[in-house]
Amino acid sequence: MAKTPVVDTDLCIGCGSCVEVCPEVFELRDDKAWVIGPDKCDTCNCEEAANICPVEAIKFE
């Protein structure tokens, strides 16, 4: 079963790197990243988006 990305908005600094890697999955809203397409990780590299997050705000459930 695929894991679902989750953004810890308390940690997120709104840098937008996850949006650049996975615009189908993440968007910036009010200077925080939000998961808008949790089932779209097959369209991009969600693992890379999580790995490049400078504050490690993206986890998988």
Side-chain angles (χ1 to χ4, degrees), residues 14-61:
C15 71
S17 56
C18 58
V19 178
E20 288 179 30
V21 174
C22 288
E24 302 274 323
V25 178
F26 302 99
E27 78 172 9
L28 283 182
R29 196 183 313 152
D30 300 325
D31 296 326
K32 299 285 183 179
W34 293 85
V35 177
I36 57 167
D39 57 338
K40 303 266 196 221
C41 276
D42 59 343
T43 67
C44 62
N45 190 340
C46 282
E47 290 286 339
E48 181 184 349
N51 290 338
I52 64 173
C53 178
V55 293
E56 299 179 358
I58 302 169
K59 304 288 186 238
F60 294 92
E61 293 182 347

